[in-house]
Amino acid sequence: MSPLVDQHRWMLVLKIFIVFLGFVFQNFFCEATDGSWIKDMLFISPDTPAEIYTYHGSFPSNVIFKEKNKTNLCFNIPANKTYSDCCKNFNCNTTVIRHNSNIYHLKLSETSLQKHDVVLLLNTSYNFSCLPSMLYNSRGFILSLHKCLKPGFKNIRLSNEGLCVQNLTSQEEQCHGSKETEYIVKIKQCTKNVTCTLPGKQAETTLNINVSGTPINAAKAANIMNNLASTLSLMGNASTAEIKMGNVTGVIAKLPKQNQTSMNFGFTSDGNVNILQENDVVMGFSRSVYLPKEASEMAVENNGSFAGVLLFPDIPEIDQNRSLFQNEMMGIEMGANIFNLSQTINIQFTNMNTTGLNATCVSWDGENNNGTEANWTTEGCLTTEVNGRITCNCSHLTFFAILMSPLPGGKDGSNSNGIISSSDLKTLTQITKAGCGISLFFLGVALFMHFLVRKNKASEAVKILMNLFVALFLLNLCFLINESIAKLKVLAACVVMAAALHYSMLATFTWFFMQALHLYFNLHQISTDIKYYICKICIAGWVIPALIVIGLLASSNYGNVEISDNNGTSVNMCWITDSTLHLGVNIGYYGIVFIFTLTVFLVTVVQITKFASKADNRDKISTKKRFFSLLGLFCLLGISWGFAFFSYGPLLLPSYYIFTILNSFQGFFLFVYYYFSSRIRPEDRKLSKNSSRATENMSITFPYA
C-alpha cells in the first residue's frame, strides 16, 4: 500500500475521531440542569413565518419531542401566541419588538429562562437550518440543532447557564415579587434589564365613593366599615370591586354560597389593590392581607355575603410616646362576627424600619367610649418580625395596625419615656395585687379590732389613724375591682369606679397630712383641747377630697383609660382620662402633702435624736426599737409615696419596684405598727410623768389613756 493511501486512511480516522469528540463535547457542555441532553428551547421571532416554514409545518407548532434526545422544542412564531399547543409546556408569554436590523427588545417573565432557553430567530425568511422538519430526524439531532443555533448570527440564544451561547451582560435589580425581564438584543451583544411586575389581577370594577372633607378618624372609620355592606348594590354583576373613598382605598369581594376559598389581597405603596392567587408571592406589596378559607365559611354560615378590606391613612397619634405605623390602620369586615379562628388572618407589612422602636400588632374592636379614640389591644394577635417585614397573625376580624412605641431604654441606659417592659409590668401587677389583697385583709382586721374591742379606749391619735385605715381600705378595694369594672365597658359604672378610686386616694393623702399635723401638735406640746377637734379634723379629711372629685365629675373627666407596656400589651382601668389633668391634680395635691409630712418627719427624727443624747441610761429607748418606730412613722405619714417623684431615667424601674412594694403592702405595715404601738405597758404610764421622755414616747407610740 502506497504512503499516499496510508496518509488518506489516517486522515479519515482523524476526522472521524474529531467528529466523535465534537459530538461528546457538544453533549457534555450543553446538558441541561434537569437531566436533558440539551435544555428545552422556545423559538420565537417578531416576523410572520416564511412560506417555506408554513409549507413544512404549521405555526405555532406542536411540541417537537425526541425521546432519544430528551429535548422539547417549541416554535412560537410569531411570538406571544399563547394559545399554541406547545405552549402548554412552555412559557410563551413573550413579546419581541424589532427596532432595526440590529436591535430587538424582548420581554420575558421571571421564570421563562428557568424552564427553557429562548432562541430569537433574527430572519425567518432564510434561516432554513431551524426548520422543524430538519430536526425531526433523530439521527444527527444535536449536530443539526447546533447548525440551527449558529448560522452566522442569524439567531441569538438566551440562557441562564451561559454555556454554548453568547455571554450576557446582566444589570439585574432586586425585585420582591414577580420579575419581568427585558432583553435589549444587538448583534453580538445582549443586555438584560429586570423590572418588577406585581402578581395578581385588579378588581372587576371600581367604586368611587364621596366622603366629607373632614379627616377620617377612628370613629368615622368604624362607621364606614359597619356600612360596607351597602356598597354591594353598587357592584352590579361584578364579583370584586376596588373602593376609593378619598384617601381611603380597599377592595370588596362577594362570597359564594358554596365552595368557599381563601382570599389574598395585596396593597401597593400608592394604595392600589391586587387580588392574588393563593400561591402568589406577596413580597412586592407594601401590605397584604390573607383571609383563610375558614373565615369565609364562618362568614357564610352567619349570613355574611362579602369580604371587605380597607386601608385608612392619616390616623392621629395615640399619644406622645405611641403612634401607628405610617399613621394607618387596616379594617377587615365580612358581614358577620368572626373570631377564634384556628387558621389565622395574616396581615403583612413590608419595608418596616423599627430602629429604636418596638413594633407590635394590635387590634381594635371598633367601639370607643369617648367618640374619637380607639382602644388598641394585643389580644388575639401575634407579632412576627423577619428582615424588615412584620406579620400579624390574628384569630378574629376587626381593625388592625402596627403600634410603634419607644424601646424602654435608650443607648445610655436611660428610660426617659416612662415605658417599661412587658415582663416588668406583669411582675409589678402581680406584686400590687398581692400587696393590696394582704393590706385589705389586715386593714379589715384592724378596723374590726378598733370598732368592736377598743373603740372606747382610743386616743385622738388612734381615731385619726382609724380614719386613715378606712381611706386605705377603700383605696385597696377600689383598686382591686377597678379592672373588672373597666372590662364591663359600661361607661356609667366606669365613671363611678374612677371617681371612687380617685376619692379614696385623695382621702388617703389628706389623712397623711392630718397624721402629720397631729404629730406636729404633740411634738410642740400644742394643746388639742379645741372644741370638736376630732370632728373638725374628720370634716377636713373627708370633705376636701370630695370637692375635687365633684369638680372632675362635673367636667366629665372620668372614664376608661389604657395602660400599655413597650410591647403594646395594655390593660384598661377606670381613671382620669386627661393625663395632663391627672398629673396636675394628683401630683400637685400629693406634692403639698409630701412637703409637709416630710418636714414633720425630719423634725421628729431631730427631736428623737436630741432627746436620746440627753436621756440617762434609765430613760433610753433601744436603737432597734427607735429604728423600727421611725420606719413605721415613715409609712404612717405616707412618705413612701414620694418615690413616684424619682420615676425618671435610670431610676425609673427601681423606683417603680420600691413604690409598688411599699405602698401596696402599706396596709399590712400599718397594721403591724398599730398592733405594737397600741399595747399599754405599766412602765409607759410611769414614764409619762417625765415630759421629755413623754414627748419622745408620744412620737413613737400612741398610748391609750
Side-chain angles (χ1 to χ4, degrees):
M1 185 178 293
S2 66
L4 183 60
V5 174
D6 287 339
Q7 182 178 3
H8 282 289
R9 180 183 299 169
W10 284 109
M11 288 293 294
L12 179 61
V13 171
L14 181 61
K15 288 181 179 180
I16 294 174
F17 180 71
I18 291 173
V19 170
F20 175 76
L21 288 179
F23 180 83
V24 173
F25 179 86
Q26 190 71 23
N27 278 274
F28 177 78
F29 284 100
C30 292
E31 183 178 355
T33 57
D34 60 357
S36 301
W37 287 94
I38 297 178
K39 194 172 182 180
D40 295 344
M41 294 186 188
L42 172 68
F43 292 84
I44 60 174
S45 174
D47 301 330
T48 302
E51 183 179 352
I52 186 68
Y53 277 91
T54 57
Y55 176 78
H56 285 273
S58 61
F59 286 88
S61 72
N62 295 325
V63 172
I64 299 174
F65 174 70
K66 307 304 296 181
E67 183 177 356
K68 180 178 179 181
N69 300 299
K70 302 179 182 179
T71 301
N72 290 281
L73 305 180
C74 178
F75 286 82
N76 187 21
I77 302 172
N80 203 22
K81 296 292 184 180
T82 55
Y83 54 82
S84 170
D85 186 49
C86 66
C87 289
K88 295 178 181 178
N89 300 312
F90 285 78
N91 193 338
C92 294
N93 189 16
T94 304
T95 60
V96 183
I97 300 175
R98 185 202 306 268
H99 288 274
N100 54 49
S101 60
N102 293 325
I103 299 177
Y104 297 80
H105 277 197
L106 285 76
K107 288 188 177 180
L108 314 176
S109 68
E110 177 187 13
T111 58
S112 292
L113 294 184
Q114 295 177 3
K115 297 178 63 176
H116 50 74
D117 290 355
V118 176
V119 179
L120 172 62
L121 302 179
L122 302 183
N123 194 330
T124 59
S125 61
Y126 60 84
N127 192 0
F128 303 118
S129 301
C130 287
L131 286 175
S133 59
M134 300 292 293
L135 306 174
Y136 271 100
N137 187 1
S138 62
R139 185 177 61 184
F141 172 79
I142 294 179
L143 293 179
S144 298
L145 184 59
H146 179 65
K147 292 178 181 179
C148 168
L149 295 178
K150 292 188 176 181
F153 298 111
K154 294 176 183 177
N155 51 51
I156 294 178
R157 179 181 172 192
L158 308 178
S159 172
N160 275 343
E161 287 80 7
L163 298 176
C164 303
V165 297
Q166 299 174 7
N167 293 327
L168 304 181
T169 303
S170 177
Q171 298 174 345
E172 189 166 352
E173 301 174 1
Q174 293 294 325
C175 279
H176 298 296
S178 297
K179 299 176 183 177
E180 185 176 80
T181 308
E182 179 182 15
Y183 293 88
I184 303 175
V185 181
K186 299 180 181 179
I187 300 301
K188 300 184 180 181
Q189 182 181 359
C190 183
T191 301
K192 182 174 72 172
N193 296 321
V194 178
T195 57
C196 300
T197 57
L198 296 175
K201 61 181 180 180
Q202 294 183 342
E204 298 175 13
T205 185
T206 300
L207 302 178
N208 292 295
I209 302 174
N210 295 325
V211 292
S212 61
T214 58
I216 296 179
N217 55 22
K220 194 170 183 178
N223 186 54
I224 290 173
M225 295 303 295
N226 290 334
N227 296 323
L228 197 58
S230 61
T231 60
L232 293 175
S233 60
L234 304 177
M235 295 174 60
N237 295 326
S239 59
T240 59
E242 184 174 0
I243 296 176
K244 294 185 180 297
M245 193 179 302
N247 59 354
V248 177
T249 58
V251 63
I252 185 171
K254 295 179 181 178
L255 295 177
K257 294 296 183 181
Q258 297 177 343
N259 301 322
Q260 286 79 29
T261 61
S262 60
M263 289 178 285
N264 213 347
F265 306 104
F267 286 76
T268 63
S269 57
D270 55 3
N272 294 325
V273 187
N274 281 14
I275 301 172
L276 310 176
Q277 300 297 320
E278 185 172 1
N279 296 323
D280 282 340
V281 179
V282 299
M283 293 176 61
F285 296 94
S286 61
R287 313 153 199 85
S288 62
V289 177
Y290 170 77
L291 302 178
K293 178 181 178 181
E294 181 186 0
S296 300
E297 293 175 342
M298 186 179 295
V300 173
E301 290 175 1
N302 291 277
N303 299 321
S305 58
F306 67 94
V309 182
L310 294 183
L311 181 65
F312 295 91
D314 302 329
I315 301 299
E317 291 185 356
I318 298 176
D319 53 45
Q320 60 181 357
N321 288 325
R322 300 179 301 153
S323 62
L324 303 182
F325 172 65
Q326 293 187 351
N327 293 327
E328 65 184 25
M329 65 182 185
M330 187 84 69
I332 305 177
E333 177 63 42
M334 299 185 76
N337 190 15
I338 308 297
F339 59 96
N340 293 335
L341 294 171
S342 59
Q343 301 174 358
T344 59
I345 295 168
N346 301 330
I347 306 101
Q348 186 179 96
F349 298 80
T350 61
N351 300 324
M352 296 281 295
N353 183 9
T354 58
T355 304
L357 297 171
N358 188 78
T360 309
C361 295
V362 291
S363 64
W364 169 49
D365 59 6
E367 297 181 2
N368 52 19
N369 296 323
N370 53 20
T372 57
E373 296 182 359
N375 296 320
W376 295 99
T377 178
T378 58
E379 185 177 355
C381 286
L382 296 177
T383 305
T384 305
E385 183 173 0
V386 179
N387 297 329
R389 298 191 309 274
I390 292 182
T391 303
C392 301
N393 307 109
C394 302
S395 59
H396 59 285
L397 285 186
T398 181
F399 288 93
F400 302 97
I402 301 292
L403 184 66
M404 310 296 288
S405 58
L407 293 173
K411 295 181 179 179
D412 57 352
S414 63
N415 192 1
S416 58
N417 51 56
I419 304 296
I420 62 175
S421 67
S422 179
S423 60
D424 286 323
L425 178 60
K426 184 177 181 180
T427 302
L428 290 169
T429 302
Q430 292 173 344
I431 293 174
T432 302
K433 289 182 178 180
C436 288
I438 293 173
S439 293
L440 190 67
F441 172 77
F442 282 100
L443 287 169
V445 172
L447 291 172
F448 177 83
M449 291 170 57
H450 173 73
F451 287 106
L452 294 184
V453 180
R454 301 177 177 178
K455 181 177 180 181
N456 295 329
K457 298 184 291 181
S459 64
E460 291 177 339
V462 172
K463 291 178 181 178
I464 295 174
L465 180 63
M466 286 303 106
N467 280 274
L468 174 60
F469 278 14
V470 172
L472 271 175
F473 184 88
L474 293 175
L475 177 61
N476 284 278
L477 178 63
C478 290
F479 182 83
L480 288 176
I481 66 175
N482 189 294
E483 186 177 353
S484 299
I485 300 298
K487 288 181 178 179
L488 296 177
K489 296 184 178 180
V490 179
L491 181 59
C494 195
V495 169
V496 173
M497 185 73 259
L501 178 63
H502 192 211
Y503 175 72
S504 59
M505 187 184 74
L506 293 180
T508 300
F509 293 164
T510 307
W511 282 107
F512 288 152
F513 185 92
M514 297 305 170
Q515 284 284 359
L517 181 64
H518 185 74
L519 180 59
Y520 176 80
F521 289 162
N522 282 277
L523 284 175
H524 292 79
Q525 298 182 0
I526 299 175
S527 175
T528 57
D529 294 333
I530 305 172
K531 190 176 182 180
Y532 305 118
Y533 171 73
I534 291 297
C535 183
K536 293 176 180 178
I537 289 288
C538 289
I539 292 175
W542 294 109
V543 173
I544 293 176
L547 295 176
I548 297 175
V549 171
I550 291 172
L552 293 180
L553 276 172
S555 57
S556 302
N557 281 299
Y558 292 119
N560 194 302
V561 297
E562 183 182 34
I563 302 175
S564 303
D565 60 14
N566 66 320
N567 284 334
T569 304
S570 59
V571 293
N572 291 329
M573 70 175 296
C574 302
W575 190 237
I576 302 172
T577 56
D578 190 335
S579 58
T580 304
L581 186 63
H582 155 67
L583 293 175
V585 173
N586 298 322
I587 301 300
Y589 193 91
Y590 178 72
I592 297 172
V593 173
F594 178 74
I595 293 172
F596 181 71
T597 55
L598 181 62
T599 302
V600 173
F601 178 77
L602 294 177
V603 170
T604 304
V605 172
V606 172
Q607 288 279 52
I608 292 176
T609 305
K610 180 180 177 182
F611 292 148
S613 62
K614 294 181 178 181
D616 55 25
N617 293 331
R618 182 175 59 86
D619 293 338
K620 279 190 176 179
I621 297 177
S622 66
T623 304
K624 181 179 179 181
K625 180 180 179 181
R626 186 179 293 110
F627 171 76
F628 283 105
S629 297
L630 289 176
L631 186 61
L633 192 63
F634 183 84
C635 291
L636 182 70
L637 300 180
I639 299 174
S640 57
W641 288 73
F643 283 100
F645 295 126
F646 300 97
S647 56
Y648 183 83
L651 295 177
L652 181 134
L653 203 56
S655 68
Y656 274 180
Y657 275 96
I658 296 173
F659 178 90
T660 301
I661 294 171
L662 291 180
N663 295 321
S664 60
F665 287 91
Q666 188 175 28
F668 171 72
F669 297 149
L670 290 178
F671 169 80
V672 174
Y673 181 79
Y674 162 75
Y675 175 77
F676 284 103
S677 65
S678 63
R679 291 185 301 174
I680 306 173
R681 295 175 298 176
E683 57 269 25
D684 290 335
R685 291 183 182 274
K686 295 177 181 179
L687 290 172
S688 62
K689 296 179 180 179
N690 186 306
S691 61
S692 64
R693 170 69 170 157
T695 303
E696 180 184 8
N697 195 58
M698 180 65 70
S699 66
I700 298 176
T701 62
F702 293 96
Y704 286 74

